[in-house]
Amino acid sequence: GQNIDQPTEMTATEGAIVQINCTYQTSGFNGLFWYQQHAGEAPTFLSYNVLDGLEEKGRFSSFLSRSKGYSYLLLKELQMKDSASYLCAVAYGGATNKLIFGTGTLLAVQP
Amino acid sequence: DTEVTQTPKHLVMGMTNKKSLKCEQHMGHRAMYWYKQKAKKPPELMFVYSYEKLSINESVPSRFSPECPNSSLLNLHLHALQPEDSALYLCASSQDGDSSNEQFFGPGTRLTVL
């Protein structure tokens, strides 16, 4: 079966750093995505990891350890607009990409 | 144009109605997807079209019928739905079906079945 776990909710302070963890057990693995979704809006792409290590993109970084089935999203210099759900998604399958999403982490940034 | 558009934004239908959801992208993407998202849950994959051919059906009930008339358009035909089908229906597209390609999501159609 496929299983992707994330914490349900997190709270952090404006200007701080927060790390959102994701663990996965899937029947295949072709890479891991992080998406941001504001309430009532579409998910938007944040990052993609397929090799072990850290990918940095501005205030957002994502880390992957394939051997541990583990990823995290690191958000620095938090802003109020970062309050959203953060979805970890594993790509797997054969010729065609399939994404299975984790349960999502609702991040609340407080002043 | 890096946008996926969906119409309508909201739809209310009875269990005997027939309606269609529409999705359009002009990014030249050759893979398109339908997802269903219930409140406070992650999106769940329903269908994948690759090069205008249905490549994945995640055991979706036949009351949902997808159609890909051309490489830019994706429809989802609805018939005899149940109240539990009420959800946000998201369309997405990617360059092709390769796993490394990010998916671009539309804003969704919020469907209510009475």
Side-chain angles (χ1 to χ4, degrees):
Chain A
Q2 323 287 8
N3 193 42
I4 302 178
D5 286 320
Q6 302 177 234
T8 306
E9 295 181 355
M10 296 184 72
T11 302
T13 304
E14 194 174 13
I17 299 173
V18 70
Q19 177 175 312
I20 302 174
N21 295 325
C22 170
T23 57
Y24 63 90
Q25 289 178 304
T26 55
S27 58
F29 182 84
N30 292 333
L32 188 144
F33 291 83
W34 283 94
Y35 281 84
Q36 180 192 61
Q37 187 175 25
H38 284 98
E41 297 183 11
T44 55
F45 169 80
L46 291 177
S47 69
Y48 171 70
N49 295 69
V50 67
L51 299 176
D52 290 353
L54 189 68
E55 294 278 344
E56 296 187 78
K57 191 185 291 186
R59 294 190 299 116
F60 294 73
S61 303
S62 56
F63 172 83
L64 176 68
S65 169
R66 289 172 298 172
S67 62
K68 295 181 179 177
Y70 169 68
S71 174
Y72 68 73
L73 180 70
L74 195 69
L75 292 76
K76 302 175 188 174
E77 301 169 17
L78 280 173
Q79 302 174 9
M80 299 297 289
K81 68 178 182 179
D82 297 328
S83 295
S85 278
Y86 290 85
L87 300 164
C88 166
V90 171
Y92 72 105
T96 304
N97 182 16
K98 293 172 68 166
L99 276 187
I100 179 167
F101 284 85
T103 48
T105 299
L106 183 61
L107 174 66
V109 179
Q110 297 179 339
Chain B
D1 185 356
T2 58
E3 194 180 34
V4 176
T5 59
Q6 291 186 243
T7 55
K9 283 187 166 39
H10 300 275
L11 179 62
V12 179
M13 59 186 291
M15 289 189 284
T16 58
N17 292 157
K18 284 185 182 181
K19 296 287 184 183
S20 296
L21 309 185
K22 297 186 183 303
C23 174
E24 190 167 3
Q25 55 87 15
H26 295 287
M27 294 179 277
H29 288 173
R30 304 311 300 270
M32 296 185 77
Y33 311 79
W34 280 116
Y35 288 87
K36 174 182 178 179
Q37 186 175 25
K38 301 281 274 184
K40 299 187 178 180
K41 298 287 188 183
E44 293 179 359
L45 182 65
M46 300 174 71
F47 303 103
V48 182
Y49 272 83
S50 181
Y51 292 87
E52 297 150 58
K53 292 193 188 318
L54 182 64
S55 60
I56 295 175
N57 175 344
E58 292 286 89
S59 303
V60 179
S62 60
R63 57 186 185 268
F64 295 91
S65 175
E67 178 196 20
C68 190
N70 61 55
S71 60
S72 300
L73 293 173
L74 186 67
N75 298 323
L76 187 62
H77 303 298
L78 315 173
H79 173 56
L81 294 193
Q82 303 297 311
E84 60 264 29
D85 297 322
S86 298
L88 181 68
Y89 288 84
L90 293 164
C91 173
S93 71
S94 64
Q95 186 174 341
D96 55 32
D98 186 86
S99 58
S100 65
N101 292 319
E102 67 179 275
Q103 294 183 20
F104 291 77
F105 284 82
T109 293
R110 189 160 298 281
L111 174 67
T112 302
V113 182
L114 301 176

